[in-house]
Amino acid sequence: MTDIIAISDASIRRASDILAAGGLVAFPTETVYGLGANACDGDAVAGIFQAKDRPNFNPLISHIANAETAFQLGVETDFATVLANCFWPGPMTLVLNRTNDCPVAMLTTAGLDKIALRVPAHEQAQKLLAICDMPIAAPSANPSGRISPSTAYHVYAGLAGKIDLILDGGPCENGLESTIIDCSGEAPVLLRPGGISRGAIETVLHSAGLHCRLGDAAALSDRGQPVAPGQLQSHYAPDASVRLNATSQQGDEELIGFGPIPGAGQLSLSLSQSGNIKQAAANLFSMLHQANAVTTGTNRRIAIAPIPKDGIGEAINDRLQRAAAPRNAPSGATK
Ligand code: TXA
Ligand code: MG
């Protein structure tokens, strides 16, 4: 059975006991809800892969309370120091080489010698990490390949019966996953656009005297080099099909609007009527869930208005393209 309870000091203590005993707990962060297990306990982490039905070549992010702890698990580099100082705690994940004595289970990093690390800013997530005193492996708390959860109810709808506890902390503020940057090499590489924009990262690196452009994961993967193995082409997929850059509704589509293009269909949703990109990011997954829930029949269709590509618009468009991608994309298509 899966309990869903309001997040509080008492429920955080209960969550910590469950995690210490090898159980699975979903918890809120400022990006999306995570499905947590003790990152150092391979059996517990295996439970995450099972509950999500996630391919085990796809590594998990380890969450820790501060940068100091992060750099005990991953080898600190100049790029990592600068970015950690500026963006942690917050919606940024750094990929680093595992330290020699890194206690995190190899399953957590899917057998890779690199580890993904994040220090979330969410106050309650911070409390959980402080009280647990262990790194918590946590992917987004959704069945693999489906829409990410920005509320506790989304988690319940996708994973009830498969996990022990859901801590309900209300809707996530950002609503979009963290930006992932590989800082282990000679130049940093953007593996997944997210809550912090490419421009903001480059500005911070430049002002610290680290003059470089952020490498692109797609370019690396074209050269046959491994990138974020979880960046599958079809991801964030609702049951309904998704049509992008829609300027008007076709047939019985549920059209999600943005700015001057109004929503249409049963819900008439708009990611942001005022064209505010941050608001659009916060609403994205929630509105995909809602639109998916009201479409019925065999030909379920969602359409989405064009979203500008600059700033965090890059991350929104990344998620939308994956939501709209053909569903049976081969697992090797790791872009
Ligand atoms: O905002 C977030 O990042 C949320 C919250 C819960 O922290 N987590 C999240 O996890 O989005 P997940 O598992 O849905 O996405 C993590 C991504 C995957 O694409 C995975 O392949 C990549 O991070 N990743 C994890 N470890 C990696 C590593 N060692 N090297 C390269 N990519 C890695
Ligand atoms: Mg995910």
Side-chain angles (χ1 to χ4, degrees):
M1 204 187 85
T2 302
D3 281 340
I4 174 163
I5 43 178
I7 200 159
S8 66
D9 288 355
S11 60
I12 286 176
R13 272 196 303 277
R14 186 172 150 199
S16 158
D17 291 344
I18 292 173
L19 289 168
L24 303 182
V25 175
F27 62 98
T29 80
E30 72 277 24
T31 58
V32 297
Y33 275 74
L35 176 59
N38 178 356
C40 302
D41 178 344
D43 289 341
V45 170
I48 293 182
F49 284 92
Q50 195 176 16
K52 280 181 60 93
D53 197 15
R54 178 172 171 120
N56 62 7
F57 61 78
N58 188 3
L60 309 176
I61 298 173
S62 294
H63 296 69
I64 53 278
N66 51 52
E68 195 190 335
T69 315
F71 295 137
Q72 286 161 14
L73 307 177
V75 178
E76 187 168 2
T77 61
D78 289 349
F79 297 119
T81 313
V82 169
L83 293 178
N85 280 339
C86 188
F87 296 115
W88 273 348
M92 179 188 72
T93 297
L94 296 182
V95 171
L96 300 172
N97 289 317
R98 287 175 64 116
T99 53
N100 285 337
D101 51 359
C102 175
V104 166
M106 283 311 289
L107 181 59
T108 305
T109 53
L112 300 175
D113 51 13
K114 291 185 186 181
I115 183 167
L117 295 156
R118 175 155 113 82
V119 178
H122 192 285
E123 198 186 327
Q124 308 291 345
Q126 273 283 339
K127 273 192 189 168
L128 178 67
L129 289 166
I131 191 174
C132 280
D133 201 25
M134 59 173 105
I136 298 182
S140 51
N142 51 282
S144 187
R146 309 315 293 264
I147 310 169
S148 295
S150 56
T151 67
Y153 173 72
H154 297 155
V155 180
Y156 191 83
L159 297 174
K162 298 182 172 171
I163 65 179
D164 299 299
L165 178 67
I166 302 169
L167 293 174
D168 185 353
C172 301
E173 197 182 327
N174 297 13
L176 206 60
E177 299 90 341
S178 60
T179 304
I180 306 181
I181 309 153
D182 186 333
C183 282
S184 66
E186 279 169 18
V189 177
L190 182 64
L191 297 184
R192 177 177 73 182
I196 297 173
S197 71
R198 176 192 294 271
I201 295 160
E202 285 180 344
T203 304
V204 164
L205 291 174
H206 281 228
S207 47
L210 299 171
H211 299 289
C212 57
R213 279 187 69 82
L214 261 189
D216 213 12
L220 278 188
S221 109
D222 288 347
R223 276 186 259 134
Q225 293 179 34
V227 293
Q231 293 298 83
L232 297 174
Q233 212 171 354
S234 170
H235 210 92
Y236 312 101
D239 301 305
S241 66
V242 178
R243 183 169 71 90
L244 303 182
N245 299 316
T247 47
S248 62
Q249 185 195 27
Q250 287 177 5
D252 58 355
E253 279 175 345
E254 196 62 33
L255 171 64
I256 303 178
F258 176 78
I261 296 174
Q266 292 184 58
L267 299 174
S268 294
L269 299 167
S270 173
L271 287 174
S272 169
Q273 282 178 2
S274 63
N276 179 321
I277 200 81
K278 219 172 150 215
Q279 190 180 24
N283 283 332
L284 179 68
F285 290 137
S286 188
M287 290 192 174
L288 280 174
H289 276 284
Q290 289 177 61
N292 189 46
V294 296
T295 57
T296 50
T298 47
N299 190 17
R300 303 171 60 178
R301 296 183 310 151
I302 298 173
I304 303 186
I307 311 293
K309 296 195 170 53
D310 41 328
I312 54 170
E314 181 180 3
I316 298 178
N317 280 286
D318 168 79
R319 305 305 187 272
L320 286 176
Q321 255 148 33
R322 293 176 207 286
R327 298 302 154 81
N328 52 1
S331 58
T334 52
K335 292 221 170 178

